[in-house]
Amino acid sequence: MASIFSRIIAGEIPCYKVAEDEHNFAFLDINPVAKGHTLVIPKHEVDYIFDLPKDEYDSLMSFAKKVAEGMKKVMPCKKIGVAVLGLEVPHAHVHLIPINKESDMNFFKGKLSLPAEEMTEIAQKIADAIK
Ligand code: AMP
């Protein structure tokens, strides 16, 4: 069965889309640890990121760099933090998180639940900054 992220790519499940290219897709995490928390995923459904063929891994990371550069322009932060966990959803994904301090990368603290209008606005702002 297709992963929830493959279903998002297929348009079967809604998301706050940020960017897409031939091989990769980026959208806001539905329960962000910080505003602008974005997930970058390969369209090829593979559970464990390091099982991706090298060319697809390189493509994913180059795409993540492009997305992170856009995020940095419009989300007030010191840096864009990068994390790969993958224990919840079995479809490789890179977390990109605007951070000002180490604790902003804390996945165990309470996650944010932002109104749909704000999520739409953030996704659009990042999307525009990537173009
Ligand atoms: P992990 O697999 O541990 O890296 O965590 C999966 C991440 O995916 C969590 O941060 C979830 O909030 C996020 N997530 C799960 N379902 C969705 C969804 N439908 N849309 C956006 N983000 C999601």
Side-chain angles (χ1 to χ4, degrees), residues 65-99:
K65 175 172 161 57
K66 195 171 153 188
V67 173
E69 285 168 354
M71 289 171 67
K72 182 75 173 58
K73 283 186 202 155
V74 292
M75 300 309 297
C77 63
K78 280 193 183 155
K79 293 194 172 174
I80 302 299
V82 183
V84 176
L85 305 173
L87 296 173
E88 189 186 317
V89 177
H91 185 142
H93 49 282
V94 178
H95 294 261
L96 297 178
I97 303 172
I99 54 171

mmCIF file of all heavy atoms in Angstrom, residues 65-99:
data_model
loop_
_atom_site.group_PDB
_atom_site.id
_atom_site.type_symbol
_atom_site.label_atom_id
_atom_site.label_comp_id
_atom_site.label_asym_id
_atom_site.label_seq_id
_atom_site.Cartn_x
_atom_site.Cartn_y
_atom_site.Cartn_z
ATOM 1 N N LYS A 65 18.499 21.542 -0.197
ATOM 2 C CA LYS A 65 19.308 22.772 -0.092
ATOM 3 C C LYS A 65 18.552 23.960 -0.705
ATOM 4 O O LYS A 65 18.489 25.047 -0.125
ATOM 5 C CB LYS A 65 20.651 22.558 -0.814
ATOM 6 C CG LYS A 65 21.539 23.785 -0.902
ATOM 7 C CD LYS A 65 22.907 23.386 -1.457
ATOM 8 C CE LYS A 65 23.706 24.558 -2.018
ATOM 9 N NZ LYS A 65 23.943 25.646 -1.075
ATOM 10 N N LYS A 66 17.965 23.716 -1.853
ATOM 11 C CA LYS A 66 17.209 24.772 -2.541
ATOM 12 C C LYS A 66 16.018 25.233 -1.677
ATOM 13 O O LYS A 66 15.762 26.424 -1.517
ATOM 14 C CB LYS A 66 16.712 24.186 -3.872
ATOM 15 C CG LYS A 66 16.233 25.174 -4.866
ATOM 16 C CD LYS A 66 15.996 24.460 -6.199
ATOM 17 C CE LYS A 66 14.937 25.194 -6.983
ATOM 18 N NZ LYS A 66 14.506 24.501 -8.175
ATOM 19 N N VAL A 67 15.322 24.266 -1.107
ATOM 20 C CA VAL A 67 14.167 24.593 -0.260
ATOM 21 C C VAL A 67 14.637 25.352 0.990
ATOM 22 O O VAL A 67 14.047 26.368 1.375
ATOM 23 C CB VAL A 67 13.392 23.312 0.140
ATOM 24 C CG1 VAL A 67 12.309 23.619 1.156
ATOM 25 C CG2 VAL A 67 12.786 22.642 -1.094
ATOM 26 N N ALA A 68 15.719 24.871 1.601
ATOM 27 C CA ALA A 68 16.237 25.514 2.820
ATOM 28 C C ALA A 68 16.666 26.953 2.541
ATOM 29 O O ALA A 68 16.450 27.853 3.364
ATOM 30 C CB ALA A 68 17.406 24.707 3.380
ATOM 31 N N GLU A 69 17.257 27.185 1.371
ATOM 32 C CA GLU A 69 17.670 28.554 1.026
ATOM 33 C C GLU A 69 16.452 29.462 0.908
ATOM 34 O O GLU A 69 16.486 30.613 1.346
ATOM 35 C CB GLU A 69 18.490 28.521 -0.278
ATOM 36 C CG GLU A 69 19.898 27.977 -0.049
ATOM 37 C CD GLU A 69 20.661 27.638 -1.327
ATOM 38 O OE1 GLU A 69 20.069 27.703 -2.433
ATOM 39 O OE2 GLU A 69 21.840 27.271 -1.212
ATOM 40 N N GLY A 70 15.390 28.950 0.332
ATOM 41 C CA GLY A 70 14.145 29.728 0.258
ATOM 42 C C GLY A 70 13.583 29.994 1.647
ATOM 43 O O GLY A 70 13.178 31.119 1.969
ATOM 44 N N MET A 71 13.573 28.963 2.482
ATOM 45 C CA MET A 71 13.045 29.116 3.849
ATOM 46 C C MET A 71 13.819 30.189 4.608
ATOM 47 O O MET A 71 13.248 31.018 5.304
ATOM 48 C CB MET A 71 13.164 27.776 4.604
ATOM 49 C CG MET A 71 12.217 26.698 4.121
ATOM 50 S SD MET A 71 12.596 25.089 4.863
ATOM 51 C CE MET A 71 12.196 25.389 6.584
ATOM 52 N N LYS A 72 15.145 30.153 4.460
ATOM 53 C CA LYS A 72 16.010 31.084 5.207
ATOM 54 C C LYS A 72 15.702 32.534 4.844
ATOM 55 O O LYS A 72 15.831 33.443 5.668
ATOM 56 C CB LYS A 72 17.472 30.735 4.910
ATOM 57 C CG LYS A 72 18.487 31.570 5.641
ATOM 58 C CD LYS A 72 18.580 31.166 7.113
ATOM 59 C CE LYS A 72 19.700 31.856 7.848
ATOM 60 N NZ LYS A 72 19.636 33.303 7.830
ATOM 61 N N LYS A 73 15.279 32.764 3.600
ATOM 62 C CA LYS A 73 14.984 34.130 3.148
ATOM 63 C C LYS A 73 13.737 34.699 3.825
ATOM 64 O O LYS A 73 13.650 35.899 4.048
ATOM 65 C CB LYS A 73 14.733 34.134 1.630
ATOM 66 C CG LYS A 73 15.979 34.047 0.794
ATOM 67 C CD LYS A 73 15.598 34.209 -0.685
ATOM 68 C CE LYS A 73 16.672 33.597 -1.554
ATOM 69 N NZ LYS A 73 16.171 33.179 -2.858
ATOM 70 N N VAL A 74 12.771 33.837 4.123
ATOM 71 C CA VAL A 74 11.474 34.368 4.562
ATOM 72 C C VAL A 74 11.051 33.972 5.984
ATOM 73 O O VAL A 74 10.115 34.559 6.531
ATOM 74 C CB VAL A 74 10.342 33.968 3.576
ATOM 75 C CG1 VAL A 74 10.527 34.677 2.241
ATOM 76 C CG2 VAL A 74 10.278 32.468 3.370
ATOM 77 N N MET A 75 11.724 32.977 6.580
ATOM 78 C CA MET A 75 11.372 32.607 7.956
ATOM 79 C C MET A 75 12.433 33.222 8.878
ATOM 80 O O MET A 75 13.621 32.939 8.713
ATOM 81 C CB MET A 75 11.346 31.075 8.138
ATOM 82 C CG MET A 75 10.362 30.322 7.254
ATOM 83 S SD MET A 75 8.669 30.956 7.265
ATOM 84 C CE MET A 75 8.190 30.707 8.965
ATOM 85 N N PRO A 76 12.022 34.068 9.830
ATOM 86 C CA PRO A 76 13.018 34.686 10.698
ATOM 87 C C PRO A 76 13.706 33.613 11.563
ATOM 88 O O PRO A 76 13.049 32.963 12.371
ATOM 89 C CB PRO A 76 12.185 35.631 11.582
ATOM 90 C CG PRO A 76 10.798 35.620 11.017
ATOM 91 C CD PRO A 76 10.651 34.411 10.172
ATOM 92 N N CYS A 77 14.997 33.407 11.358
ATOM 93 C CA CYS A 77 15.734 32.377 12.095
ATOM 94 C C CYS A 77 17.231 32.556 11.872
ATOM 95 O O CYS A 77 17.638 33.255 10.945
ATOM 96 C CB CYS A 77 15.310 30.978 11.641
ATOM 97 S SG CYS A 77 15.688 30.648 9.901
ATOM 98 N N LYS A 78 18.011 31.887 12.740
ATOM 99 C CA LYS A 78 19.469 31.938 12.543
ATOM 100 C C LYS A 78 19.909 30.974 11.451
ATOM 101 O O LYS A 78 20.770 31.281 10.646
ATOM 102 C CB LYS A 78 20.170 31.556 13.857
ATOM 103 C CG LYS A 78 20.225 32.696 14.857
ATOM 104 C CD LYS A 78 21.201 32.346 15.974
ATOM 105 C CE LYS A 78 21.198 33.440 17.015
ATOM 106 N NZ LYS A 78 21.609 32.964 18.332
ATOM 107 N N LYS A 79 19.336 29.785 11.497
ATOM 108 C CA LYS A 79 19.707 28.751 10.521
ATOM 109 C C LYS A 79 18.509 27.845 10.238
ATOM 110 O O LYS A 79 17.523 27.871 10.974
ATOM 111 C CB LYS A 79 20.869 27.901 11.058
ATOM 112 C CG LYS A 79 22.170 28.696 11.176
ATOM 113 C CD LYS A 79 23.378 27.801 11.386
ATOM 114 C CE LYS A 79 24.640 28.658 11.283
ATOM 115 N NZ LYS A 79 25.869 27.955 11.599
ATOM 116 N N ILE A 80 18.667 27.035 9.193
ATOM 117 C CA ILE A 80 17.680 25.973 8.955
ATOM 118 C C ILE A 80 18.323 24.672 9.452
ATOM 119 O O ILE A 80 19.343 24.228 8.909
ATOM 120 C CB ILE A 80 17.323 25.853 7.456
ATOM 121 C CG1 ILE A 80 16.779 27.183 6.897
ATOM 122 C CG2 ILE A 80 16.309 24.719 7.253
ATOM 123 C CD1 ILE A 80 15.503 27.688 7.565
ATOM 124 N N GLY A 81 17.730 24.100 10.490
ATOM 125 C CA GLY A 81 18.210 22.833 11.022
ATOM 126 C C GLY A 81 17.742 21.684 10.140
ATOM 127 O O GLY A 81 16.684 21.771 9.491
ATOM 128 N N VAL A 82 18.532 20.625 10.114
ATOM 129 C CA VAL A 82 18.227 19.449 9.277
ATOM 130 C C VAL A 82 18.184 18.210 10.156
ATOM 131 O O VAL A 82 19.080 18.002 10.983
ATOM 132 C CB VAL A 82 19.313 19.256 8.197
ATOM 133 C CG1 VAL A 82 18.967 18.096 7.277
ATOM 134 C CG2 VAL A 82 19.496 20.535 7.401
ATOM 135 N N ALA A 83 17.149 17.391 9.983
ATOM 136 C CA ALA A 83 17.071 16.139 10.747
ATOM 137 C C ALA A 83 16.411 15.062 9.896
ATOM 138 O O ALA A 83 15.560 15.349 9.054
ATOM 139 C CB ALA A 83 16.263 16.347 12.020
ATOM 140 N N VAL A 84 16.846 13.830 10.120
ATOM 141 C CA VAL A 84 16.185 12.679 9.500
ATOM 142 C C VAL A 84 15.873 11.692 10.615
ATOM 143 O O VAL A 84 16.780 11.249 11.320
ATOM 144 C CB VAL A 84 17.080 12.007 8.439
ATOM 145 C CG1 VAL A 84 16.399 10.765 7.885
ATOM 146 C CG2 VAL A 84 17.408 12.977 7.315
ATOM 147 N N LEU A 85 14.597 11.395 10.795
ATOM 148 C CA LEU A 85 14.191 10.422 11.824
ATOM 149 C C LEU A 85 13.544 9.229 11.109
ATOM 150 O O LEU A 85 14.111 8.159 11.022
ATOM 151 C CB LEU A 85 13.227 11.053 12.823
ATOM 152 C CG LEU A 85 13.726 12.345 13.519
ATOM 153 C CD1 LEU A 85 12.630 12.972 14.353
ATOM 154 C CD2 LEU A 85 14.927 12.047 14.382
ATOM 155 N N GLY A 86 12.342 9.437 10.633
ATOM 156 C CA GLY A 86 11.702 8.397 9.829
ATOM 157 C C GLY A 86 11.147 7.225 10.614
ATOM 158 O O GLY A 86 10.973 6.141 10.071
ATOM 159 N N LEU A 87 10.879 7.445 11.900
ATOM 160 C CA LEU A 87 10.349 6.342 12.709
ATOM 161 C C LEU A 87 8.825 6.249 12.641
ATOM 162 O O LEU A 87 8.242 5.230 12.981
ATOM 163 C CB LEU A 87 10.803 6.500 14.173
ATOM 164 C CG LEU A 87 12.322 6.391 14.369
ATOM 165 C CD1 LEU A 87 12.709 6.715 15.795
ATOM 166 C CD2 LEU A 87 12.802 4.991 13.992
ATOM 167 N N GLU A 88 8.195 7.326 12.190
ATOM 168 C CA GLU A 88 6.727 7.363 12.169
ATOM 169 C C GLU A 88 6.181 7.027 10.777
ATOM 170 O O GLU A 88 5.272 6.216 10.649
ATOM 171 C CB GLU A 88 6.286 8.768 12.609
ATOM 172 C CG GLU A 88 4.803 8.929 12.848
ATOM 173 C CD GLU A 88 4.453 10.394 13.141
ATOM 174 O OE1 GLU A 88 5.191 11.050 13.915
ATOM 175 O OE2 GLU A 88 3.457 10.870 12.580
ATOM 176 N N VAL A 89 6.726 7.674 9.764
ATOM 177 C CA VAL A 89 6.235 7.462 8.400
ATOM 178 C C VAL A 89 7.323 6.735 7.589
ATOM 179 O O VAL A 89 8.435 7.248 7.454
ATOM 180 C CB VAL A 89 5.879 8.809 7.723
ATOM 181 C CG1 VAL A 89 5.433 8.591 6.282
ATOM 182 C CG2 VAL A 89 4.790 9.535 8.518
ATOM 183 N N PRO A 90 6.998 5.544 7.048
ATOM 184 C CA PRO A 90 8.008 4.748 6.338
ATOM 185 C C PRO A 90 8.223 5.201 4.895
ATOM 186 O O PRO A 90 8.108 4.411 3.956
ATOM 187 C CB PRO A 90 7.434 3.329 6.411
ATOM 188 C CG PRO A 90 5.952 3.542 6.410
ATOM 189 C CD PRO A 90 5.702 4.837 7.136
ATOM 190 N N HIS A 91 8.483 6.486 4.733
ATOM 191 C CA HIS A 91 8.797 7.064 3.416
ATOM 192 C C HIS A 91 9.849 8.131 3.708
ATOM 193 O O HIS A 91 9.549 9.114 4.402
ATOM 194 C CB HIS A 91 7.526 7.680 2.805
ATOM 195 C CG HIS A 91 7.700 8.207 1.411
ATOM 196 N ND1 HIS A 91 6.717 8.082 0.451
ATOM 197 C CD2 HIS A 91 8.715 8.878 0.812
ATOM 198 C CE1 HIS A 91 7.136 8.638 -0.682
ATOM 199 N NE2 HIS A 91 8.348 9.145 -0.473
ATOM 200 N N ALA A 92 11.053 7.909 3.213
ATOM 201 C CA ALA A 92 12.192 8.782 3.559
ATOM 202 C C ALA A 92 11.816 10.257 3.506
ATOM 203 O O ALA A 92 11.131 10.691 2.565
ATOM 204 C CB ALA A 92 13.334 8.506 2.586
ATOM 205 N N HIS A 93 12.224 11.011 4.514
ATOM 206 C CA HIS A 93 11.943 12.451 4.518
ATOM 207 C C HIS A 93 12.989 13.193 5.334
ATOM 208 O O HIS A 93 13.465 12.697 6.349
ATOM 209 C CB HIS A 93 10.539 12.754 5.035
ATOM 210 C CG HIS A 93 10.177 12.080 6.326
ATOM 211 N ND1 HIS A 93 9.805 10.758 6.396
ATOM 212 C CD2 HIS A 93 10.151 12.545 7.594
ATOM 213 C CE1 HIS A 93 9.538 10.442 7.654
ATOM 214 N NE2 HIS A 93 9.758 11.508 8.409
ATOM 215 N N VAL A 94 13.299 14.399 4.864
ATOM 216 C CA VAL A 94 14.242 15.280 5.550
ATOM 217 C C VAL A 94 13.435 16.388 6.202
ATOM 218 O O VAL A 94 12.649 17.071 5.534
ATOM 219 C CB VAL A 94 15.243 15.890 4.535
ATOM 220 C CG1 VAL A 94 16.203 16.847 5.242
ATOM 221 C CG2 VAL A 94 16.007 14.793 3.805
ATOM 222 N N HIS A 95 13.613 16.551 7.520
ATOM 223 C CA HIS A 95 12.970 17.664 8.224
ATOM 224 C C HIS A 95 13.848 18.900 8.073
ATOM 225 O O HIS A 95 15.049 18.850 8.393
ATOM 226 C CB HIS A 95 12.854 17.363 9.723
ATOM 227 C CG HIS A 95 11.940 16.231 10.084
ATOM 228 N ND1 HIS A 95 10.641 16.431 10.521
ATOM 229 C CD2 HIS A 95 12.136 14.889 10.106
ATOM 230 C CE1 HIS A 95 10.085 15.261 10.801
ATOM 231 N NE2 HIS A 95 10.977 14.303 10.553
ATOM 232 N N LEU A 96 13.277 20.005 7.606
ATOM 233 C CA LEU A 96 13.974 21.301 7.574
ATOM 234 C C LEU A 96 13.243 22.218 8.550
ATOM 235 O O LEU A 96 12.026 22.447 8.404
ATOM 236 C CB LEU A 96 13.932 21.891 6.160
ATOM 237 C CG LEU A 96 14.634 21.095 5.053
ATOM 238 C CD1 LEU A 96 14.447 21.794 3.706
ATOM 239 C CD2 LEU A 96 16.109 20.903 5.362
ATOM 240 N N ILE A 97 13.986 22.731 9.543
ATOM 241 C CA ILE A 97 13.329 23.466 10.626
ATOM 242 C C ILE A 97 14.048 24.793 10.893
ATOM 243 O O ILE A 97 15.253 24.800 11.170
ATOM 244 C CB ILE A 97 13.320 22.605 11.913
ATOM 245 C CG1 ILE A 97 12.618 21.273 11.640
ATOM 246 C CG2 ILE A 97 12.655 23.353 13.066
ATOM 247 C CD1 ILE A 97 12.720 20.271 12.783
ATOM 248 N N PRO A 98 13.309 25.921 10.806
ATOM 249 C CA PRO A 98 13.927 27.205 11.147
ATOM 250 C C PRO A 98 14.269 27.218 12.642
ATOM 251 O O PRO A 98 13.396 26.945 13.480
ATOM 252 C CB PRO A 98 12.816 28.228 10.840
ATOM 253 C CG PRO A 98 11.856 27.510 9.941
ATOM 254 C CD PRO A 98 11.913 26.072 10.362
ATOM 255 N N ILE A 99 15.537 27.503 12.963
ATOM 256 C CA ILE A 99 15.956 27.456 14.373
ATOM 257 C C ILE A 99 16.735 28.703 14.784
ATOM 258 O O ILE A 99 17.437 29.318 13.980
ATOM 259 C CB ILE A 99 16.837 26.206 14.674
ATOM 260 C CG1 ILE A 99 18.038 26.116 13.712
ATOM 261 C CG2 ILE A 99 16.007 24.933 14.602
ATOM 262 C CD1 ILE A 99 19.053 25.045 14.102
#
